Amino acid sequence: MGSTDALDRLLVTGGAGFIGSAYVRDVLGRRDGTRITVLDKLTYAGNEANLAPVRDDPEMAARLTFVRGDIADPNAVGPLVGRADAILNFAAESHVDRSILDPAAFLTTGVVGVHVLLEACRSAPGQPRFLQVSTDEVYGSVDVGEADEQAPLAPRSPYAAAKAAGELLVRSYVITHGIDAVVTRGSNTYGPYHHPEKLIPLFVTNALDDRPLPLYGDGLQRREWLYVSDHAAAIDLVLRHGMRGETYNVAGASERTNREVVSLLLEYLDKPWSLVKQVEDRPGHDRRYAMDGRKLAALGWQPTMSFEKGLAATIDWYRANEAWWRAARSGEWDDWYLRQYGQRLATATSALPPGSGVVD
Ligand code: NAD
Ligand code: DAU
């Protein structure tokens, strides 16, 4: 397959998560011929409320089917894959810190789950297209320059290793079994409906409650930020126009240190820097991610949202959707937070303010 717009029946795994739900909302809103089945296990990170804007619109709701199930379960996957023109695999355990504490589920979903999906594609009569949503973390820390799609895979966390393994399985099925598959590698994504365990929503929601903001190490790690609707648009473009067997970087092109991100968000929230606590670093913490985005630019995509505007829109969304994030910070949240941050916060120091003492 070279390119086509005629992919009308989509199976979106992980469609109740952050980026998957943005994709579903976006595509059902823009393409009135498209029907989507979401297959989602509803882990702590999945939330059907992320699909509420679709459910609240009768016309879009009629084109959405939700199935609760596990991508590692062939009985759940087989019939759904058999009825789809294309499968987009967003399903994953997505938090690096949790992969350090409890890696098993990362491997089950990221490797076994991908294998189950690929086997189902292989035996499906219609030869559906398969898109694997991957990450810039597969390149490991990129201390200078930018990684293009040919750069070696050098994952450094259990999360990144599981994502790299999933990608390699996809590649093997393209070569060995002739599956029609493409891979995207996205950079750090942010925006509405982002689970509050991740840097930006954690710090925004903690700051709204005047709680400490646990900044790892010196805070000079660098990430390339990508607004979630830009990421969803890139994935849809690769689904429809990506070349079979190819991989595409989705580069946010907004590189910032974590200190810069925190400084900006505190300024927008009108909260003091004194909330920021310097805590013990993440083990194996990747210093920098940076990707060359020219291959996807040649396909016709570029990010449309500046980081400053995207961050402001994100913070406005969290302010307006307190019930959503308080629900996400319930259940297992307190136990997990204590495990992840209890000791760190007990031994924290005040982080030096931006521009003083640390070379920013
Ligand atoms: P998320 O954690 O918000 O959502 C993951 C979703 O997958 C949840 O709805 C969860 O319930 C579901 N899920 C987990 N295990 C499952 C299983 N075994 N079967 C079915 N559903 C399952 O994650 P996200 O941030 O939306 O990330 C989505 C994808 O994008 C992931 O593959 C991630 O690796 C990739 N990615 C994320 C980013 C980022 O910055 N968030 C950047 C690049 C790539
Ligand atoms: O780069 C793409 C990846 O981005 C995705 O593949 C992952 O699914 C996604 O979670 C994200 O991974 P990161 O580890 O970069 O994101 P996180 O929000 O966890 O952390 C961003 C940076 O902030 C990182 O340098 C660690 C730092 N950090 C994070 C947290 C949660 C802190 O300093 N303190 C924190 O409490």
Side-chain angles (χ1 to χ4, degrees), residues 19 93-97 134-138 159 163 186-189 194 196-203 213-217 219 221-225 258 262 279 281-282 285-287 289 336-337 340-341 344:
I19 308 172
E93 292 290 334
S94 65
H95 191 31
V96 172
D97 289 318
S134 191
T135 168
D136 61 0
E137 301 210 8
V138 297
Y159 162 71
K163 294 299 293 184
S187 62
N188 274 70
T189 306
H194 201 188
E197 68 192 354
K198 308 288 170 40
L199 175 76
I200 289 178
L202 177 71
F203 279 29
L213 312 184
L215 188 65
Y216 295 156
Q221 304 84 7
R222 307 181 80 89
R223 296 290 184 267
E224 216 181 356
W225 293 97
N258 292 340
V262 176
V279 300
D281 209 348
R282 171 186 283 175
H285 198 167
D286 288 335
R287 197 70 180 160
Y289 299 136
W336 171 76
Y337 198 84
Q340 177 63 26
Y341 294 108
R344 279 190 165 90

Side-chain angles (χ1 to χ4, degrees), residues 62-300:
R63 292 184 284 118
L64 174 69
T65 304
F66 183 86
V67 178
R68 185 172 191 178
D70 188 335
I71 62 163
D73 173 3
N75 295 324
V77 164
L80 299 178
V81 168
R83 290 195 288 271
D85 299 323
I87 295 95
L88 296 101
N89 182 31
F90 291 88
E93 292 290 334
S94 65
H95 191 31
V96 172
D97 289 318
R98 290 187 194 249
S99 83
I100 296 167
L101 293 175
D102 291 312
F106 288 75
L107 301 178
T108 308
T109 299
V111 186
V112 177
V114 173
H115 177 241
V116 167
L117 289 169
L118 290 167
E119 277 294 317
C121 286
R122 195 182 148 200
S123 48
Q127 298 195 321
R129 171 154 260 217
F130 183 79
L131 185 145
Q132 172 69 4
V133 180
S134 191
T135 168
D136 61 0
E137 301 210 8
V138 297
Y139 296 118
S141 197
V142 180
D143 295 333
V144 287
E146 293 176 333
D148 69 15
E149 289 83 352
Q150 302 305 317
L153 301 190
R156 289 160 39 91
S157 71
Y159 162 71
K163 294 299 293 184
E167 272 194 35
L168 292 177
L169 262 180
V170 173
R171 178 181 155 80
S172 77
Y173 270 66
V174 170
I175 294 167
T176 306
H177 296 301
I179 296 278
D180 176 17
V182 283
V183 173
T184 57
R185 293 183 182 143
S187 62
N188 274 70
T189 306
Y190 71 105
Y193 299 98
H194 201 188
H195 192 280
E197 68 192 354
K198 308 288 170 40
L199 175 76
I200 289 178
L202 177 71
F203 279 29
V204 169
T205 56
N206 275 11
L208 286 170
D209 278 348
D210 296 309
R211 291 169 186 251
L213 312 184
L215 188 65
Y216 295 156
D218 63 9
L220 293 178
Q221 304 84 7
R222 307 181 80 89
R223 296 290 184 267
E224 216 181 356
W225 293 97
L226 171 63
Y227 196 67
V228 65
S229 54
D230 280 334
H231 195 165
I235 287 170
D236 199 50
L237 182 70
V238 172
L239 175 74
R240 289 164 203 286
H241 300 288
M243 295 301 293
R244 176 179 170 278
E246 293 292 318
T247 296
Y248 296 86
N249 287 345
V250 187
S254 293
E255 187 175 336
R256 300 282 188 282
T257 66
N258 292 340
R259 289 172 65 86
E260 287 168 337
V261 171
V262 176
S263 180
L264 263 176
L265 73 81
L266 285 174
E267 193 181 322
Y268 192 77
L269 284 162
D270 196 22
K271 296 282 183 177
W273 180 266
S274 57
L275 287 176
V276 183
K277 301 298 171 204
Q278 185 165 333
V279 300
E280 183 190 328
D281 209 348
R282 171 186 283 175
H285 198 167
D286 288 335
R287 197 70 180 160
R288 175 173 179 261
Y289 299 136
M291 290 190 292
D292 181 331
R294 281 178 294 180
K295 187 170 172 182
L296 188 55
L299 218 55

